[in-house]
Amino acid sequence: MSDESWESNAFIGIGLAGLGFFIALAAASATLGALAVPVWGMAIAIVAVIMRSPLARAMAERLGRKGSGAELPGELLAELDDLRARLLEIEERQDFAERLLTRGGTAHPVEEPRQ
């Protein structure tokens, strides 16, 4: 699983858990009325404890290191440059073929001189 996939899944999971938590607190407030104040206090305390846990610190550290990934080896960079050049050549050929098709003509082969 890639780092980006892990990070996006973590954010989705945390967001859904937070949404569910908030909905549960809203339901408790609607049911209990003024008696829901201690419930909200306990909920805030629980969130504070979770945010200071080693797991939360590890996630924050991992997300903070996002930009400091390992660099690519030189031969891989050279291969990427070669692939870019080949792709550029293919794009140019495709543009030429599209222009030729839209013009409705055919390519005129270069005639070799007669001997």
Side-chain angles (χ1 to χ4, degrees), residues 88-99:
L88 182 62
E89 182 181 341
I90 290 172
E91 287 174 344
E92 289 174 356
R93 289 180 180 199
Q94 181 184 5
D95 288 343
F96 173 74
E98 287 174 350
R99 283 194 304 271

Side-chain angles (χ1 to χ4, degrees), residues 45-78:
I46 289 170
V47 168
V49 167
I50 290 173
M51 294 298 288
R52 297 185 58 84
S53 71
L55 178 63
R57 287 189 197 130
M59 285 180 65
E61 181 181 322
R62 174 123 184 216
L63 292 174
R65 287 187 289 136
K66 183 178 179 183
S68 63
E71 296 201 13
L72 298 175
E75 64 183 33
L76 187 58
L77 289 175

Side-chain angles (χ1 to χ4, degrees), residues 2 6 11 24 27 29-30 46 69 77 81 83 85 87 92 95 101-102 105 107 111:
S2 70
W6 178 88
F11 280 123
S29 296
I46 289 170
L77 289 175
D81 286 341
L83 289 173
L87 182 61
E92 289 174 356
D95 288 343
L101 286 172
T102 57
E111 294 182 20

